Amino acid sequence: MTNAILLVIALLFICAFAWSYYKMSVLSNIANLNYSESLESNKALAIPSMSYVTLNYTLPYAGYLKISYSSTSAIYIWVGSNFSQQFPDGNYFSRYPPQRESSSGTFVVPVLPGEVYVTIYNPSIFNGVALTISIEYHY
């Protein structure tokens, strides 16, 4: 009976150690931005002239987004979050391209945990735009 109790205690100790090691490994990987997931993979969008589309995400960790796109005409993209709403002048903290517009590009923008939104604008007065976008979340 005593040996059985000692065996159960040893197994509980080993399981607790293994679980603790696993959780520390996960947290270390998150802190080192070793994880990534695809939020959008070649998502096709159609945006009418002088209009926009917003994509919303709830992100659990700080990290960064890698956004790649190509479109039939020039667009621009704003990235914002519930954190950026606390600042004067708005809801967004990053614009790509920084000036003007472009029909393709790839850029990286840091994000904090919480609500994040990616708004794609079509500034054309006359033409709609067809767009393909991919968004990777690294944390």
Side-chain angles (χ1 to χ4, degrees):
M1 181 73 160
T2 306
N3 288 341
I5 292 173
L6 289 175
L7 180 62
V8 168
I9 291 172
L11 286 174
L12 287 173
F13 178 76
I14 291 169
C15 289
F17 177 77
W19 179 253
S20 173
Y21 179 79
Y22 166 76
K23 291 303 280 183
M24 288 300 294
S25 174
V26 167
L27 293 175
S28 176
N29 282 327
I30 290 170
N32 291 316
L33 302 174
N34 289 337
Y35 291 128
S36 68
E37 65 182 82
S38 177
L39 300 178
E40 304 294 348
S41 180
N42 293 320
K43 181 176 183 132
L45 299 170
I47 306 173
S49 64
M50 298 295 291
S51 191
Y52 63 90
V53 171
T54 299
L55 306 171
N56 296 300
Y57 307 99
T58 302
L59 305 179
Y61 307 106
Y64 65 92
L65 298 180
K66 179 181 178 185
I67 302 173
S68 301
Y69 69 94
S70 70
S71 60
T72 56
S73 64
I75 62 160
Y76 61 96
I77 299 174
W78 281 98
V79 179
S81 71
N82 56 340
F83 180 75
S84 61
Q85 290 175 349
Q86 300 171 22
F87 295 108
D89 299 332
N91 301 324
Y92 298 96
F93 58 85
S94 181
R95 183 187 194 272
Y96 186 85
Q99 299 173 348
R100 304 187 196 264
E101 300 86 30
S102 75
S103 58
S104 65
T106 299
F107 65 102
V108 173
V109 61
V111 291
L112 293 172
E115 296 297 318
V116 172
Y117 31 92
V118 177
T119 302
I120 305 134
Y121 290 89
N122 175 11
S124 174
I125 297 171
F126 302 108
N127 299 319
V129 65
L131 166 79
T132 302
I133 190 166
S134 296
I135 303 174
E136 296 174 14
Y137 169 43
H138 295 262
Y139 60 96

